Amino acid sequence: REGGAQVAPDTDWRTLDTPHFAVTFPAGQEAVARHAAARAEKAYAAFEAVLPRLDQGRIELLLTGDVDLSNGLAAVTPHRRIVVYLRPPVDGFALSHFQDWLDLVITHEVAHVFHLDATSPFGGLLRRVFGRLPAAWPFFPGIGTPGWTIEGLATWYESEFTGVGRAEGTYFEMMLRTAAAEGAFSTLDRASGRSSQWPGGESTYLYGSLFFDHLLETHGSDRMLHFVRAVGRQWIPYRLNAAARSAFGVSFDEAWREWTEAWRGRADARATELEAAGGVTHPERLTDGARLAVHARVSREGAVVYARADGRSDPHLHVLDPSRGESRALARTHGAARFDFGPAGEVVLAQPEFQDPYRIFSDLWRVDAAGTRTRLTSGARLDHPTVSPDGTHIVAVRYQGAESRLVRLPAGGGPDALLGPDADTWAFPAYSPDGRWLAAVRWTGSGADVVVLDAASGAVVVEVTNDRALDLAPAWSPDGGTLLWSSDRSGIPQIVAAAVDPARGRPGPVRSVTRVLSGAGFPAVDPAGGWLYFSHYTAEGWELARIPYRPGSWTPAPALDPRFADGSPFQPVAPADGPVRGYAALPSLRPTFWQPILLPGEGTPDGDLLRPFVGFSTWSTDLVGRHGVLLQGALSLSGNAFNGTLGYTYSGLGNPVLDFRAEQEWNGDGPFLARRDSLSDPERLYIREREQRVSLGATLRHTRWTSSLALGLRAGMVWESRSLLDATFGPARDFALRQPDARLAEGQITLSLSTARRPTVSISTEEGVSAFVLARFRREQALADSLDGRTGFDRSTDEVLAQVRWFESFRGPGFADHVLGVRLAGGAASGPGADALTFEVGGTAGQARRVSGLGVFGGTSTFFPVRGYRSGDRFGRYAWVASGEYRLPLARVNRGLGLLPLHLDALHASLFGDAGNAWGPELGIPGFQRPRERALWSVGVELTAETLWFYNTALGLRTGIAFPGVDVPGGGSPVWYLRVGPSF
């Protein structure tokens, strides 16, 4: 759905052309590209039969191996593009139900392209005029629908056309069944919004796909085409119920209510089945509000270490002492890290990290008991570590192309070597306690199965499972006589186990360990053999739980769920043929749209000094982000002035990024009063100015998971030309400018740093510091020596701006953490051109914007705000401001107005205090005198509503009242305001 992606522009790219796709891939990955191209063409043919057909032109399919995260992205503006990260989704339940994961993700993304590219005849006419303008209705109506329709449609087709995927698997069923059983089933208005409340961003895929499954099973799969057409052909957009009635014969409101009741019935029926089969397992919950508590391991001392991502803070490894009920964070991690214990009790974990601004690779770290981290590998792309019992080696998964392999490396880090099979996809290796065996999960054409390997050679000894169920995360009992894992063979993810022959590694029959109503995964047995720990799914996420470890109470595993009974083999496709060529940027760089623009003119008491400007703008980047172009031009309605911008960015070096910019802008000022002599009446005069600017810039970036550093350099030239006009806007005959033209050199250096972070469940940035310093100069290049340095003639200036923001959070009442925030900013200017209007203090930060069906636009930002005053109540060439805020959550609303395109997620408030001042210069020259006055200050309160407009435009609407503490002309009373965006 998104067009942007983490793609390295400096990679050596190649392109394979097929009838409907241009497949771009890293050099060395031709086999993967041919396989992906074949799957893409297969998906294209399938969608041509069920969704509106695409007009001419290829789809750009980019396969990138630069990120060790599983994802796919699609966009239809300004080009039809698909980006797939070549890393298999082997982490857990959601995406792991696949036979060929590239087939799954490509089918999903091709569905997006067909769906979102559809339009009406009227929209098609507008696209022929304006091109592929990035806008929803009427250009691309599908974009202007709720996320659950967009992602739900693609996720449903992902399963419909592959036979696997999320709509076919058990994970989404588990989530809806649990929500129905625990009274947390989403209403339609909630599903149509956007909220960090669990299940967060997954909600659109979850509810959308299974709701469409219900509708299409009830009314026929051909009705999806009718729905897409009905949305596209609406003359009044956002009427989803009307489109539903047209396509399905029932409104979404009615169908959702029926569907909700059906899921409540299914949850009750499942509970009855489990009771009849031996009773429902009710585990002891050890965490509350963990949201994601997974990958538990138990130390020799009985402490439970697990990965926790509660959304209210950074992800951590947490240590839980079950006997005392005490929990503490051990070490911050980059996501829910997979890890294992070393022989001395240390932890070896895997987590992603930036190698450079574009590449994110997974590597290994060692964490000691104090939480100190030591990096073991760099750029090795290793994950899922397991440490040998003697502590000499680590076996891990290495991401390689579009697959994952088992490798062995020294425990202290070093080169890894392939272990055993060099085919298939692997995850979750686990050493047996005696170090003789390895259990692991292997994906083949039939699905994910647990196998046992010889730890020395890597040879597969036995297949523990061989079916289409999803079998994950194997773990050994302390004596090595039992292997446990999570399996959804019954239709519900449960913990199952099998006895293992220690001599031959061969398992006995599979036994059921848990019978929870929701789902269970990631088992671990404590060294004493008394407790089985696992992740237990609830309506609020995954919590850590335990049950007594009693093998004698386990029952035979149930029969396979009917969806897994089909043993038909996966049908491969022949790789796509055709020549491979070098990557060419120009085809995807070519702009595909133009957008009309209207720029304001300059009105005066005598008429328009500059009439409004009418023109166009366009922009484009090539597929891999190596080149970027911006074009904008607008002509005054009077025909005598032109504003324009040409920008070009080059990222082919990787670091730095280079850019060029050329601009022309017309401005006007006045009226000014002037007299020919002391006896004449004053005349009104105006200045019309043309400014032309050319500049070159370079930006160096240093990026890490929790910090970023950037250095920007820019240099250029400015040409200014002024005309003095009379009240008729003709040339002034009796007056003249002493210096109508100027040529200035300018330069700028910017240094920025940020460690600030905003967790998933938050009301603002919560932790860290962000800061920047900007220094810039201007020097007159064509000035008489006698005027050099003279105020009022020489416009040379030196200027410094700086800002620091600091945030600290703490737990308190409410759905999110409370936050203390501080902002300090200052500026200083010197030189003959630094006048009293260089900086303005006052006003309210944020955007004073208005909202329409075409988007959000207008407004300006304020760098030196002091709430309760007007911008410019203090001005000068020296300025400072300071702000402090206490921010607190009020309510998690997460409600909308039915299917209307408006959703309110949360309300939060802040108490603030602002102060600031500006002054200077203090020169004894009329017009250049700005003495220091009393600093402005104010206090007040704000209320912020986190809203979603038109299904995809998130706005933080901020309203407040400020009480100024200093009387100023025309002010002094409490001030009410409304803004968009944060105060800082």
Side-chain angles (χ1 to χ4, degrees), residues 265-487:
R266 292 179 67 170
D268 292 341
R270 272 295 197 179
T272 301
E273 291 174 13
L274 289 174
E275 288 289 357
V280 176
T281 301
H282 297 286
E284 176 189 357
R285 184 188 291 190
L286 301 174
T287 60
D288 186 28
R291 191 178 174 100
L292 192 63
V294 292
H295 311 313
R297 297 287 186 270
V298 189
S299 71
R300 295 173 182 173
E301 295 76 23
V304 183
V305 179
Y306 66 99
R308 179 185 177 111
D310 60 14
R312 293 182 63 164
S313 60
D314 292 318
H316 281 80
L317 289 186
H318 268 247
V319 181
L320 172 68
D321 184 342
S323 63
R324 299 181 180 179
E326 298 176 350
S327 179
R328 65 179 177 87
L330 174 63
R332 186 176 68 193
T333 58
H334 306 162
R338 289 158 289 276
F339 66 95
D340 194 16
F341 285 119
E346 75 277 15
V347 168
V348 175
L349 65 86
Q351 63 182 4
E353 180 58 278
F354 280 86
Q355 296 298 115
D356 59 34
Y358 309 102
R359 296 170 177 85
I360 303 174
F361 294 159
S362 182
D363 275 298
L364 302 184
W365 273 258
R366 179 185 290 114
V367 181
D368 64 21
T372 303
R373 297 187 301 178
T374 303
R375 190 165 187 166
L376 299 179
T377 66
S378 180
R381 315 192 77 162
L382 299 177
D383 204 349
H384 295 257
T386 181
V387 183
S388 63
D390 62 7
T392 60
H393 289 88
I394 299 170
V395 169
V397 167
R398 182 178 69 202
Y399 298 121
Q400 180 177 313
E403 298 166 333
S404 57
R405 299 284 186 254
L406 291 179
V407 296
R408 182 192 289 119
L409 70 156
D416 58 69
L418 188 67
L419 179 68
D422 60 355
D424 302 323
T425 296
W426 295 84
F428 297 107
Y431 266 108
S432 63
D434 61 5
R436 182 174 182 181
W437 310 112
L438 277 169
V441 176
R442 177 178 66 177
W443 276 263
T444 62
S446 62
D449 291 299
V450 174
V451 300
V452 174
L453 305 92
D454 181 274
S457 66
V460 174
V461 175
V462 65
E463 295 178 339
V464 180
T465 63
N466 185 8
D467 51 50
R468 294 188 64 180
L470 187 59
D471 299 297
L472 297 173
W476 297 87
S477 64
D479 62 2
T482 303
L483 188 63
L484 302 98
W485 67 96
S486 58
S487 175

Side-chain angles (χ1 to χ4, degrees), residues 137-214:
W137 184 89
F139 294 89
F140 296 92
I143 295 176
T145 57
W148 66 261
T149 65
I150 297 173
E151 296 298 349
L153 179 149
T155 305
W156 184 81
Y157 274 121
E158 139 198 330
S159 292
E160 177 72 5
F161 286 165
T162 67
V164 287
R166 287 166 285 188
E168 183 67 20
T170 61
Y171 182 72
F172 275 10
E173 282 190 12
M174 174 195 74
M175 297 177 79
L176 288 192
R177 182 178 60 253
T178 305
E182 298 183 16
F185 203 92
S186 182
T187 55
L188 182 56
D189 63 309
R190 289 182 174 179
S192 301
R194 187 182 302 168
S195 177
S196 60
Q197 188 172 0
W198 184 267
E202 202 165 19
S203 175
T204 57
Y205 302 83
L206 164 67
Y207 284 94
S209 62
L210 295 190
F211 183 50
F212 273 130
D213 187 64
H214 164 75

Side-chain angles (χ1 to χ4, degrees), residues 12-38:
D12 184 10
W13 298 99
R14 302 285 188 271
T15 299
L16 167 68
D17 291 317
T18 69
H20 300 104
F21 293 87
V23 183
T24 298
F25 58 93
Q29 296 294 327
E30 182 176 336
V32 175
R34 292 189 181 278
H35 174 73

